[in-house]
Amino acid sequence: MHTNLLRKLAKARLPCTEADPATIEGLRVLEAAGHIKVLIPPVHVDCDDCLRQAPATVLEITLLGWKAL
């Protein structure tokens, strides 16, 4: 799945934003592997006491990420 996400990012115009929680978790994995640089805002409690995740911004695919592709 993470390779598919990396392929999707390789075709996208960067920087790009991703709001889907499952995609953001995939971005966390790719960042931990050193494949991308991404800004992921912290989860926060909204006015209705629900946890909210702001969109993540993918800045670039690293050299290691390009090699992985």
Side-chain angles (χ1 to χ4, degrees), residues 4-29:
N4 291 338
L5 179 55
L6 189 57
R7 284 188 186 113
K8 176 185 167 191
L9 293 172
K11 295 176 184 175
R13 184 173 186 173
L14 300 179
C16 69
T17 58
E18 294 288 344
D20 176 56
T23 302
I24 292 174
E25 287 307 310
L27 294 175
R28 289 183 202 280
V29 172

Side-chain angles (χ1 to χ4, degrees), residues 2-66:
H2 304 299
T3 305
N4 291 338
L5 179 55
L6 189 57
R7 284 188 186 113
K8 176 185 167 191
L9 293 172
K11 295 176 184 175
R13 184 173 186 173
L14 300 179
C16 69
T17 58
E18 294 288 344
D20 176 56
T23 302
I24 292 174
E25 287 307 310
L27 294 175
R28 289 183 202 280
V29 172
L30 290 173
E31 179 184 38
H35 292 170
I36 62 170
K37 291 187 181 178
V38 61
L39 296 175
I40 302 174
V43 176
H44 63 279
V45 178
D46 210 350
C47 59
D48 59 357
D49 292 331
C50 289
L51 290 176
R52 302 281 188 234
Q53 173 69 62
T57 303
V58 180
L59 302 173
E60 70 177 276
I61 298 174
T62 64
L63 183 58
L64 187 61
W66 287 113

